[in-house]
């Protein structure tokens, strides 16, 4: 899909803006997407190893076996981060490196890797922001039911403590889960992500057990002395196609419940919304939500991570099959993207980010927010002069930073921004076909080249704002 440039020369240049003092500037990655070394130093198999080897699941049969070889090149990558002036780096820990079977014996060599990475970051003045789970569930746990099994939540809390015991003296910020919506609904609803299950009941069980896993881990981390605890969600900024049509408004509310409030409400208000509980009960027996679970999930949060890429618009359409990754959404249709899109065919609409942030601030006040991912896939690689001219990515990030600034102006307590991604990497079911990096990776030579967006981002960080 060809993307369109988002601004035209006919428009006046936007005004310069400055972010608050102390605003965090970072970049993010995830273990399976960059590390490689899939069978090294005692790492066990994850659901993504299995899924990517299953014919037809991942573009061109790509796997994370080698990825960006970051496991061996982490020092070079940290040097790049330092060159960009990053204040923070968000990475995830691969659970199967730490506990190859998901529970039981600890693989010290796995912990050693994150120890080395953490020290390298700190030596360069970059704050490590650790995500404990970014989708690479140990395969053994999936064999026992994965996130549809309550025991996985209990195992996660144990694993969180193991990692904290080793890194807690140097890592300040602990994020439990990345985008539980994806783990639950893409993993067990539509099955386009590992483990590739299509079962709406399991999707809801997974969503609840992910919430519970967060709550159990947050409690355990807090009692072990962690002071900055977070979770990262990817809320769906959903709006009715026709706000004057009550059926469209109802459709948007249903999607908002299944995608957003099922996470936000127990996390921040200590209760599942009644309409969401009724919706789950129409699909499956909800007794997997036990008395006391909501109180566990409602563990105090110090910061809420928000990942944002694109908006959604929905309408009521009797007879529409619905979307498997929004279980029970029959009779609802998502509008195809309108206007400029990225290489993922994701609509570009920065104002939706402002709307999302102000909504979260209004409905769930009191928790500081952080953009833990935002960015765009575009295919540009090195030209004849070796430079990567990715103007569209610059325009995308520039426009979304302005949207963040608009939210700040409306009183949203936004503390920082992490670009997704530091470097091109394994984009899940899309394999290496989609490039989100501000640093280009040649997967044959493993050479890294700063794209123009990385050089531009360095200037944004230096001036703490936009021209
Ligand atoms: O690459 C992913 C990341 O792992 C999670 N958030 C969305 C990104 C782009 O699809």
């Amino acid at each position: 899909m060809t993307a369109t440039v988002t601004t035209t020369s006919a428009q006046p240049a936007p005004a310069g803006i400055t972010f608050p003092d102390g605003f965090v500037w970072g970049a993010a990655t995830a273990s399976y997407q960059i590390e490689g070394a899939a069978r090294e130093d005692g790492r066990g198999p994850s659901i993504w190893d299995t899924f990517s080897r299953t014919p037809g699941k991942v573009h061109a049969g790509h796997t994370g076996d080698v990825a960006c070889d970051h496991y061996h090149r982490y020092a070079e990558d940290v040097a790049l981060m330092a060159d960009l002036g990053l204040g923070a780096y968000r990475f995830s820990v691969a659970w199967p490196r730490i506990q190859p079977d998901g529970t039981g014996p600890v693989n010290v060599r796995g912990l050693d890797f994150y120890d080395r990475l953490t020290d390298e970051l700190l030596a360069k003045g970059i704050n490590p922001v650790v995500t404990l789970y970014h989708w690479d569930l140990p395969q053994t746990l999936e064999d026992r039911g994965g996130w549809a099994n309550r025991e996985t939540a209990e195992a996660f809390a144990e694993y969180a403590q193991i990692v904290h015991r080793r890194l807690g003296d140097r890592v300040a910020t602990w994020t439990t889960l990345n985008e539980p919506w994806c783990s639950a609904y893409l993993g067990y609803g539509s099955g386009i992500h590992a483990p590739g299950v299509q079962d709406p009941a399991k999707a809801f069980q997974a969503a609840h057990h992910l919430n519970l896993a967060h709550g159990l881990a947050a409690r355990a981390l807090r009692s072990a002395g962690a002071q900055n605890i977070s979770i990262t969600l990817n809320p769906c900024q959903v709006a009715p196609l026709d706000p004057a049509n009550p059926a469209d408004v109802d459709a948007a509310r249903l999607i908002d419940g299944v995608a957003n409030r099922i996470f936000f409400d127990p996390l921040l208000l200590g209760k599942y919304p009644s309409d969401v509980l009724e919706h789950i009960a129409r699909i499956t027996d909800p007794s997997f939500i036990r008395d006391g679970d909501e109180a566990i999930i409602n563990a105090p949060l110090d910061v809420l991570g928000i990942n944002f890429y694109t908006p959604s618009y929905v309408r009521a359409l009797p007879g529409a099959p619905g979307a498997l990754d929004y279980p029970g959404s029959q009779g609802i249709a998502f509008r195809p993207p309108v206007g400029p899109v990225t290489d993922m065919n994701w609509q570009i609409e920065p104002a939706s980010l402002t709307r999302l942030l102000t909504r979260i601030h209004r409905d769930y006040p009191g928790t500081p927010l952080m953009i833990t991912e935002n960015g765009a896939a575009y295919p540009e690689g090195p030209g004849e002069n070796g430079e990567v001219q990715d103007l569209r990515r610059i325009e995308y990030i520039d426009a979304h930073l302005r949207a963040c600034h608009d939210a700040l102006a409306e009183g949203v307590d936004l503390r920082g921004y992490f670009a997704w991604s530091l470097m091109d990497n394994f984009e899940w079911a899309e394999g290496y076909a989609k490039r989100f990096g501000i640093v280009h990776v040649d997967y044959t030579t493993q050479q890294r080249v700063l794209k123009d967006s990385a050089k531009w981002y360095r200037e944004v960080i230096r001036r703490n704002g936009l021209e």
Side-chain angles (χ1 to χ4, degrees), residues 394-412:
I394 294 174
E395 289 177 341
Y396 179 99
I397 297 179
D398 180 287
H400 285 79
L401 283 173
R402 287 175 200 281
C404 290
H405 199 262
D406 289 347
L408 280 161
E410 291 192 41
V412 173

Side-chain angles (χ1 to χ4, degrees), residues 58-73:
V58 172
H59 171 83
H62 293 167
T63 73
D65 283 2
V66 178
C68 307
D69 195 29
H70 172 75
Y71 191 79
H72 301 113
R73 295 169 193 263

Side-chain angles (χ1 to χ4, degrees), residues 33 134-135 178-179 307 309 346 373 420 427-428 436:
Q33 294 183 272
H134 197 128
W135 309 353
N178 178 71
E179 302 182 353
N307 294 353
Y309 293 90
W346 291 351
E373 282 182 29
W420 183 270
E427 177 52 27
W428 308 113
F436 275 91

Side-chain angles (χ1 to χ4, degrees), residues 19 31 85 126 174 196 235 309 316 327 339 370 398 407-408 410 423 463:
F19 284 83
S31 45
I126 301 167
W174 292 87
Y309 293 90
M370 183 81 84
D398 180 287
L408 280 161
E410 291 192 41
M423 56 183 140
R463 70 175 87 229

Side-chain angles (χ1 to χ4, degrees), residues 83-84 388 390 393-394 397 422 437-440 449-461:
D83 176 37
L84 295 179
V388 184
D390 58 337
R393 181 172 290 102
I394 294 174
I397 297 179
L422 174 70
I438 57 173
V439 174
H440 184 270
V449 172
L450 299 193
K451 300 182 187 178
D452 283 356
S453 57
K455 298 174 191 165
W456 169 86
Y457 193 48
R458 176 164 56 195
E459 279 308 295
V460 173
I461 296 171

Side-chain angles (χ1 to χ4, degrees), residues 12-212:
I17 55 174
T18 303
F19 284 83
D21 286 346
F23 195 78
V24 175
W25 294 103
T29 63
S31 45
Y32 191 74
Q33 294 183 272
I34 64 164
E35 284 177 1
R39 293 185 195 77
E40 237 172 283
D41 289 343
R43 178 187 177 279
S46 82
I47 55 175
W48 272 96
D49 295 293
T50 309
F51 190 73
S52 60
R53 282 195 181 75
T54 309
K57 298 296 185 190
V58 172
H59 171 83
H62 293 167
T63 73
D65 283 2
V66 178
C68 307
D69 195 29
H70 172 75
Y71 191 79
H72 301 113
R73 295 169 193 263
Y74 71 92
E76 178 192 342
D77 292 336
V78 173
L80 276 179
M81 297 176 213
D83 176 37
L84 295 179
L86 296 188
Y89 171 53
R90 174 177 181 250
F91 63 94
S92 76
V93 174
W95 188 348
R97 280 198 199 285
I98 309 304
Q99 287 178 293
D101 286 328
T103 54
V106 174
N107 176 38
V108 175
R109 287 176 297 168
L111 285 169
D112 290 345
F113 168 67
Y114 298 105
D115 200 277
R116 292 193 294 276
L117 173 60
T118 298
D119 282 348
E120 192 72 26
L121 289 164
L122 291 173
K124 294 267 189 315
I126 301 167
N127 265 322
V129 173
V130 166
T131 299
L132 287 162
Y133 184 73
H134 197 128
W135 309 353
D136 37 5
L137 187 73
Q139 181 60 45
T140 351
L141 291 182
E142 181 54 37
D143 296 342
R144 287 185 232 140
W147 286 112
N149 179 355
R150 188 179 177 94
E151 285 171 16
T152 300
E154 288 151 13
F156 179 71
E158 187 198 27
Y159 151 71
Q161 291 170 78
I162 293 166
V163 181
H164 181 268
R165 218 171 286 138
R166 182 69 184 268
L167 302 181
D169 57 337
R170 284 155 291 152
V171 168
T173 306
W174 292 87
T175 304
T176 54
L177 308 174
N178 178 71
E179 302 182 353
W181 179 84
C182 296
S183 302
Y185 298 127
L186 301 183
Y188 297 86
S190 65
I192 66 161
H193 277 188
V197 174
Q198 287 190 349
D199 181 334
K202 286 190 175 164
F204 284 124
Q205 289 158 15
H208 176 63
H209 295 144
L210 283 152
N211 279 337
L212 186 64

